[in-house]
Amino acid sequence: MDMLERMRWWIGLAAASAFAQSFSFEPATPVQGQVLKVYGGAPAANTRLNGRTVRLFPQSDGRLLGLMPVGTLTKPGVYDLEWLDGDNAIHHEQLRIASAHFKRQNIILSKRLSALHSTPEERQTVAAFLRTVSAERFWQEPLEAPIPGCITSPFGVMRLHNGKPTGDYHAGLDQRGAFGSPVHAVASGVVKIVEPFELRGGTVAIDHGQGLESIYLHLSNFAAKEGDHVERGAVIGYVGSSGRSTAPHLHWTLYASGVPINPLQWMKLTPCTAPAAKTGTK
C-alpha cells in the first residue's frame, strides 16, 4: 500500500468513525417507563424502536435529538434501535430494556366515583393534545416538581379499584398537596388545555416542545388560559379534588412523544412515609 492509498484508508476510517459516533442514546439500559434520548446527525431525520417512529430535532450544539418513549407495558428484552433517512435505516444499535418491577395498588372508590367516565369530548381533546409534536423546544433540564409534596402513588403501578383489576396502570404521579396550594409548570411551554373535565377534573396541559408534554389533573381552580406561554415554575392552577379523586392531591403526567413516562427520570421526589388519605385518579 503506497502513501496515497494509506491516506485514503485513514480518511475513510476517520469518516466512518465520525459517522458512527454521531449516533448515540441514553440511558444505556433503559427500564420500562423511561425515555431514551436518541442523538443523531444528518441525514437521519427519525428514529425507530419497536415499531414506533420519533422525529429528531436540531439542537443548539448541532446534534439532532429525539425523545423515544419506552412504554410501561413494553416487554423486557433486546431491541433494535434504528436511525432513519426517509424509510431507510442508515444505522442501528441493539439495546436491552430492563424490567421496572412495577407493583400493584388498590384504590377504594365510592359508587359515585366509580361511575365517573370521561366524555367523548374529553377523550378527543386529550388525544389531540398528545398527537401534537411542535418543533420549537421550550424545555430545559432539570425539570421542576409541580408541588413540593411527597409521592402518594408512584408511576407505573397496576391499578385495582375496590380490589378488582382495571387492566390499566398509573400513568403519572400523585403528590400530596393541601387544597388550594399552587401548582407550577415543570418546564416552559405553551398551555394547550384548560378544562373542567368530568373524569380528570380541573385539567391544565402544557406543550413543552419537541415531543415533551405535561398534564395536571384534579385542580380546584386555574391560573392560566389556553395559548399562554408560561415559564418553568409559573403557577398554572391550584390543588383540588375534582373529577375521580378521593382527597386533595395533584396527579400529573409527563409525556414523551405522546406516551406517559416516569417523571423520576427527570427529577427527584420522595415517597410519603406517613399514612395519608388514599387518592383515586384517572
Side-chain angles (χ1 to χ4, degrees):
M1 184 183 293
D2 60 24
M3 180 65 71
L4 181 59
E5 289 176 327
R6 283 199 297 269
M7 288 179 64
R8 288 173 176 168
W9 184 81
W10 279 110
I11 291 172
L13 182 64
S17 176
F19 179 80
Q21 289 175 6
S22 66
F23 301 98
S24 62
F25 60 89
E26 58 181 357
T29 305
V31 302
Q32 297 162 309
Q34 286 192 327
V35 62
L36 275 177
K37 295 177 183 176
V38 182
Y39 297 95
N46 301 290
T47 181
R48 181 167 60 203
L49 175 68
N50 197 24
R52 182 184 304 279
T53 299
V54 166
R55 181 179 169 187
L56 300 174
F57 294 94
Q59 305 299 302
S60 58
D61 61 4
R63 294 190 295 176
L64 300 176
L65 169 65
L67 299 179
M68 174 64 75
V70 177
T72 302
L73 302 180
T74 302
K75 292 183 179 179
V78 176
Y79 291 83
D80 219 27
L81 177 64
E82 300 173 297
W83 284 258
L84 308 176
D85 178 12
D87 293 328
N88 300 317
I90 59 175
H91 186 76
H92 71 94
E93 299 277 352
Q94 282 196 330
L95 64 90
R96 179 175 296 277
I97 295 174
S99 173
H101 303 290
F102 294 120
K103 298 179 181 179
R104 299 171 58 167
Q105 183 183 45
N106 183 43
I107 300 296
I108 305 300
L109 297 178
S110 66
K111 289 184 179 181
R112 182 186 68 82
L113 291 178
S114 295
L116 283 180
H117 297 284
S118 58
T119 65
E121 293 76 17
E122 179 176 341
R123 293 192 296 270
Q124 291 166 10
T125 299
V126 174
F129 166 70
L130 295 179
R131 286 194 299 268
T132 300
V133 181
S134 53
E136 186 173 359
R137 174 174 168 171
F138 301 111
W139 59 274
Q140 299 294 331
E141 294 185 78
L143 303 188
E144 178 174 312
I147 62 174
C150 56
I151 299 172
T152 59
S153 182
F155 174 90
V157 291
M158 299 305 296
R159 276 287 175 84
L160 293 84
H161 288 170
N162 301 330
K164 297 180 180 180
T166 64
D168 204 357
Y169 65 92
H170 194 221
L173 291 179
D174 286 352
Q175 285 184 258
R176 182 180 296 173
F179 188 93
S181 56
V183 175
H184 306 267
V186 300
S188 300
V190 179
V191 177
K192 294 294 186 178
I193 298 174
V194 179
E195 289 285 350
F197 287 137
E198 184 77 12
L199 181 67
R200 294 169 174 85
T203 299
V204 171
I206 302 176
D207 177 12
H208 304 292
Q210 297 187 357
L212 190 69
E213 298 174 311
S214 60
I215 193 166
Y216 312 79
L217 310 184
H218 310 304
L219 303 178
S220 60
N221 212 337
F222 303 121
K225 62 182 183 297
E226 292 180 12
D228 283 353
H229 178 90
V230 294
E231 298 298 327
R232 182 180 68 176
V235 177
I236 56 172
Y238 302 91
V239 171
S241 189
S242 55
R244 184 184 284 173
S245 170
T246 61
H249 72 291
L250 176 67
H251 168 102
W252 67 284
T253 303
L254 190 65
Y255 295 90
S257 304
V259 178
I261 56 172
N262 192 345
L264 296 186
Q265 185 183 1
W266 298 72
M267 65 182 65
K268 291 183 178 180
L269 290 170
T270 304
C272 297
T273 56
K278 292 183 179 178
T279 54
T281 68
K282 190 266 177 193

